[in-house]
Amino acid sequence: MSHRCHVALISDGQVSFHSDRWGALGLADILVAGPAVFVAWFKEQRDIWPDAVGPNTMRLIPEDFAVVYMDHRQLKISEYAGFGHWAERAKGRAPELREHLSRMTPPLRGAALELLKERWPGWEVSYADSPQPQVDWGHLPEASADEVWSAFEVTPLPDLPDAVIRRLVRSLTLLALA
């Protein structure tokens, strides 16, 4: 078993991909660090694993993903975006979060999105579905930057009470700093 993560970075109209067998475990940490850290991490990963998105790897379905469009300051992420892996981290520090994190409840999804909006100031941040019907991303390396971006359809969050979201954002922020 693995915790595969696919990431696409679109910059200057060019698309670069990265896939990591265990990347979903640390995706939330990289995203919470903000765009500059994310780009530095992505470039480092591309240097370490230049073949990580070969024909065999991209044919695997990711557990989590992120698509970053630098040119338009937009970020699309999968429903869990690695935050589900913070459930163990919450044990003892933020027990009220553990259940939310392990199930990625709608309030927690809303809080994670708000936290990322704080950490990616001036960016449009949203959840998205992986492309259909080919959820394995196998067709994306031949697509243009705009085709890759458009392949990920934004999924709306249900309306949630602001007070609940703010409370969960504070707890997530504490976990992010832990």
Side-chain angles (χ1 to χ4, degrees):
M1 182 174 171
S2 67
H3 296 283
R4 182 155 306 273
C5 176
H6 289 341
V7 180
L9 178 67
I10 304 169
S11 183
D12 297 324
Q14 301 297 309
V15 184
S16 298
F17 294 97
H18 171 67
S19 181
D20 187 321
R21 183 175 183 180
W22 300 104
L25 296 173
L27 181 60
D29 292 316
I30 297 300
L31 291 172
V32 166
V37 171
F38 177 86
V39 170
W41 167 84
F42 185 88
K43 289 179 179 178
E44 181 179 295
Q45 299 309 305
R46 295 282 299 160
D47 290 342
I48 295 170
W49 304 106
D51 300 328
V53 290
N56 296 326
T57 304
M58 287 302 285
R59 301 274 182 237
L60 298 170
I61 298 170
E63 175 181 324
D64 289 313
F65 66 82
V67 183
V68 178
Y69 207 145
M70 298 296 294
D71 305 343
H72 298 286
R73 297 176 58 92
Q74 296 174 309
L75 168 65
K76 290 181 182 177
I77 56 174
S78 57
E79 180 179 29
Y80 288 84
F83 283 100
H85 296 291
W86 282 14
E88 193 60 33
R89 186 186 296 181
K91 186 178 178 181
R93 288 191 184 111
E96 75 282 1
L97 276 185
R98 193 158 193 221
E99 183 66 21
H100 284 287
L101 285 163
S102 62
R103 294 185 301 121
M104 281 306 283
T105 63
L108 196 282
R109 288 181 61 228
L113 203 62
E114 287 304 313
L115 175 61
L116 290 177
K117 286 177 182 179
E118 289 175 9
R119 299 300 177 100
W120 292 64
W123 284 66
E124 180 183 322
V125 182
S126 57
Y127 286 110
D129 283 331
S130 202
Q132 297 294 331
Q134 298 152 320
V135 295
D136 64 1
W137 292 33
H139 62 296
L140 292 177
E142 288 80 38
S144 71
D146 288 335
E147 289 170 331
V148 168
W149 183 254
S150 298
F152 295 84
E153 292 188 28
V154 172
T155 57
L157 280 174
D159 288 330
L160 302 166
D162 287 341
V164 171
I165 299 298
R166 282 193 305 274
R167 188 185 85 243
L168 289 172
V169 168
R170 283 192 298 275
S171 295
L172 279 176
T173 302
L174 292 174
L175 278 183
L177 299 173

